[in-house]
Amino acid sequence: MTELTFKIIFIIIIFGLTLLIAMYSTLAERKVAAFLQDRIGPNRAGPFGILQPVADGLKFFFKEEIIPSTSNKILFILGPCIAITTALMTSAVLPWGPAITINGQIYNLQVADVNIGILFVFGVVSLGVYGIMVGGWASNNKYSLLGALRASSQMISYELAMGMSLIALLMSSGTLGVREIVEQQPGFHWNVFYQPLGFLIFMICAFAETNRTPFDLPECEAELVGGYHTEYSSMKLGLYLFAEYINMFISSAVMASLYFGGYNFPFMNELGLSPNAISIIGSSVFFLKIIIFIFFFMWVRWTIPRFRFDQLMHLGWKVLIPLAVLNMMLTGLFILFFKS
Amino acid sequence: MIEIAFFSLSILAVIFAILVITAKNPVHSVLFLVMTFFSIAGHFVLLNAQFIAVVHVIVYAGAIMVLFLFVIMLMNLNKESEPAKPLWLKLSGVITSGLLLLVLTAVFRKTVDKTAHVLPNPDIGLVKNLGMTLFNDFLLPFELSAVLFLTAMVGAVFIGKVKAGN
């Protein structure tokens, strides 16, 4: 098997897994909500409601497609396309497991090990906001426009704090490559123990970047009807909602690999297993960490009420950014006095 | 292979740049400008400067153009709100920009070095080498530009404050 065929198969697997996890996140969201509110949740389609995402998807496809007559048609269609494309692109630089050996040849479980690594994720995520802005503006609806403006101002504000919390991590790891960052955290030496404040800031910003509660003001039902997707129907609405779940999955994966050791797990080198067995366990552990993060996202959504918009801006600019700068300075001082 | 990529990226960059100034709708203009930035980022990748390419996308396409789009969407520009300009203003605009084009062409014809150059270090655009160069050879200009940015930021905050007070 050549490197290229392996890469193609691997890309298809990662693509499928991303879509599958995003699909079942929609069911998990409703099940977790039901669990937290002491209900049963969807249980009609298949055993334990396991076919519910399929039923939802089919329903989206069969719904009538409405494009408002006063909208900007091309941009109206382009909006959800941008949202889903950027959401699916980010998984390219994440390492999904340790290298595996097949017939004496070593294959990295990573689509592209570029030396800008984590900045690629940042670049693609910062483009994701165009999907929301273009769609919200093209709808030609006041509520949609307000939702789109809220989304963009929120994402720009929180991107700053996120980037600054990341700088502290990059200072201590000395590389931008995600695989190298993960390899620096063997066993239980996870970055979260060295960068607790940085992780907290990064996680709060990840919630804001994915437009999840308590920061889901762009689609705040009580004020904005449906926010930026008020005018959307059928699968175009489905793509927007789906992009949100994919973003949640990807940001969980990024947090797990940057701060929680990625595919590393405690005692991985003391067990005495073959490298391929370690690879399989490592990948499973990575997905377990991702699923725990996704559960945490949902747990927060059904527990904490949403912020007011001025509170959101206050938190972003006056609390998180100064804290991130402080964290950066402390890390710099620590490296200067204790590591050199 | 690289030549094909170079020419297709260049053609795309030029087409999108022309579309930026010919588009009637300012929102379309902004989106075409974002596409122009993308093609330029592609050129950086061809020069093996991945770091500059991704920073270009993050800063220009991801932050500055979003703010542009933000302002244009809020202003709600359309045909009715477009100010009608008198004929003499349009004529003088055409004449002055024509003269500028003339001067620029003359300058480029005389000064631009048309011989091919080979970079002494082809990996200069990678993060590590770029950082080494910036913080060793160009430390003073780098720090001075940081001070300049800080000044601009303080100035922007100051202007905003004065308006809020009135």
Side-chain angles (χ1 to χ4, degrees):
Chain A
M1 188 159 55
T2 61
E3 185 81 22
L4 188 69
T5 40
F6 174 76
K7 279 273 151 85
I8 291 170
I9 295 169
F10 184 64
I11 288 172
I12 292 169
I13 292 174
I14 288 301
F15 220 69
L17 266 177
T18 312
L19 291 174
L20 189 77
I21 289 185
M23 200 169 136
Y24 274 91
S25 297
T26 60
L27 174 66
E29 176 105 81
R30 297 166 70 181
K31 280 285 184 189
V32 169
F35 166 66
L36 290 174
Q37 294 168 348
D38 210 7
R39 295 185 281 114
I40 296 170
N43 64 349
R44 295 291 111 178
F48 307 106
I50 204 115
L51 295 176
Q52 187 69 40
V54 183
D56 285 343
L58 280 176
K59 186 185 155 191
F60 268 130
F61 277 115
F62 287 128
K63 283 274 175 182
E64 187 187 354
E65 188 128 4
I66 298 169
I67 297 180
S69 56
T70 52
S71 70
N72 187 323
K73 235 176 209 162
I74 298 169
L75 292 184
F76 189 79
I77 297 169
L78 196 65
C81 299
I82 300 176
I84 197 89
T85 313
T86 52
L88 283 168
M89 265 167 71
T90 23
S91 58
V93 292
L94 296 174
W96 300 95
I100 54 167
T101 321
I102 304 169
N103 293 336
Q105 215 176 336
I106 298 169
Y107 297 104
N108 272 336
L109 292 183
Q110 189 178 18
V111 176
D113 193 5
V114 284
N115 66 0
I116 45 171
I118 192 66
L119 283 183
F120 174 83
V121 179
F122 254 72
V124 175
V125 166
S126 68
L127 295 177
V129 71
Y130 281 110
I132 294 175
M133 282 191 89
V134 165
W137 179 80
S139 305
N140 200 4
N141 174 322
K142 286 188 183 102
Y143 296 115
S144 303
L145 183 64
L146 278 175
L149 291 177
R150 279 186 174 186
S152 53
S153 55
Q154 169 179 336
M155 284 178 95
I156 285 188
S157 311
Y158 279 77
E159 229 164 60
L160 283 174
M162 197 180 210
M164 286 201 193
S165 67
L166 193 70
I167 287 176
L169 179 76
L170 297 179
M171 276 159 76
S172 61
S173 65
T175 174
L176 287 171
V178 189
R179 172 169 287 276
E180 283 175 72
I181 294 178
V182 171
E183 276 168 2
Q184 283 172 2
Q185 317 173 52
F188 212 50
H189 296 283
W190 296 349
N191 276 333
V192 66
F193 302 120
Y194 305 104
Q195 290 280 344
L197 183 61
F199 168 68
L200 200 66
I201 298 167
F202 192 90
M203 194 182 60
I204 294 173
C205 295
F207 272 81
E209 291 281 310
T210 48
N211 290 330
R212 293 283 301 182
T213 324
F215 306 107
D216 64 340
L217 289 139
E219 42 191 295
C220 178
E221 305 90 351
E223 303 161 18
L224 294 180
V225 192
Y228 60 87
H229 52 56
T230 304
E231 295 287 354
Y232 280 89
S233 60
S234 170
M235 201 56 205
K236 288 205 284 299
L237 173 69
L239 286 184
Y240 267 130
L241 302 181
F242 214 59
E244 185 185 316
Y245 283 100
I246 296 174
N247 280 332
M248 194 164 83
F249 168 64
I250 295 294
S251 47
S252 300
V254 169
M255 280 192 284
S257 37
L258 290 185
Y259 289 98
F260 280 81
Y263 49 73
N264 291 305
F265 53 94
F267 313 114
M268 65 187 294
N269 297 323
E270 284 83 12
L271 285 174
L273 290 168
S274 71
N276 276 353
I278 292 278
S279 284
I280 292 166
I281 300 175
S283 296
S284 327
V285 166
F286 186 46
F287 275 98
L288 185 71
K289 285 174 187 170
I290 294 174
I291 288 167
I292 291 172
F293 267 115
I294 292 179
F295 173 73
F296 186 71
F297 267 99
M298 290 168 181
W299 186 8
V300 169
R301 170 164 179 183
W302 297 103
T303 310
I304 299 175
R306 105 174 25 108
F307 280 96
R308 251 184 8 240
F309 198 69
D310 60 313
Q311 292 172 327
L312 173 95
M313 284 294 148
H314 185 273
L315 179 72
W317 288 96
K318 295 185 179 167
V319 180
L320 289 182
I321 290 181
L323 271 180
V325 173
L326 178 78
N327 185 41
M328 204 163 85
M329 283 174 163
L330 287 178
T331 313
L333 286 176
F334 185 82
I335 291 172
L336 186 66
F337 289 117
F338 296 103
K339 268 195 172 170
S340 56
Chain B
M1 182 64 199
I2 282 185
E3 275 181 352
I4 296 171
F6 172 78
F7 281 114
S8 41
L9 279 173
S10 310
I11 291 167
L12 278 179
V14 172
I15 290 175
F16 283 127
I18 291 171
L19 283 172
V20 172
I21 49 174
T22 51
K24 288 277 177 205
N25 191 327
V27 172
H28 292 176
S29 276
V30 169
L31 294 175
F32 283 130
L33 193 54
V34 173
M35 294 310 293
T36 315
F37 283 145
F38 265 114
S39 5
I40 293 171
H43 280 293
F44 284 128
V45 174
L46 284 185
L47 291 170
N48 205 12
Q50 299 157 2
F51 179 70
I52 300 178
V54 80
V55 168
H56 189 79
V57 169
I58 293 176
V59 173
Y60 286 96
I64 294 180
M65 292 324 286
V66 172
L67 290 178
F68 261 72
L69 202 59
F70 199 106
V71 172
I72 287 172
M73 281 180 181
L74 274 181
M75 288 201 295
N76 196 20
L77 297 171
N78 46 36
K79 281 223 173 72
E80 293 86 61
S81 65
E82 196 177 314
K85 293 186 185 96
L87 187 67
W88 63 269
L89 200 64
K90 286 180 188 165
L91 264 177
S92 59
V94 169
I95 291 168
T96 40
S97 46
L99 285 175
L100 180 69
L101 181 72
L102 191 72
V103 172
L104 282 180
T105 338
V107 167
F108 272 112
R109 238 175 69 84
K110 285 286 172 199
T111 55
V112 172
D113 187 4
K114 289 194 195 73
T115 50
H117 285 281
V118 179
L119 281 177
N121 177 6
D123 289 340
I124 188 69
L126 301 185
V127 196
K128 198 177 170 192
N129 305 332
L130 191 72
M132 285 294 179
T133 319
L134 267 184
F135 283 96
N136 286 322
D137 305 345
F138 299 102
L139 183 62
L140 187 68
F142 183 75
E143 294 292 338
L144 282 180
S145 59
V147 174
L148 183 72
F149 276 124
L150 189 67
T151 324
M153 231 156 74
V154 172
V157 171
F158 182 72
I159 293 170
K161 282 252 176 201
V162 168
K163 279 196 180 146
N166 289 346

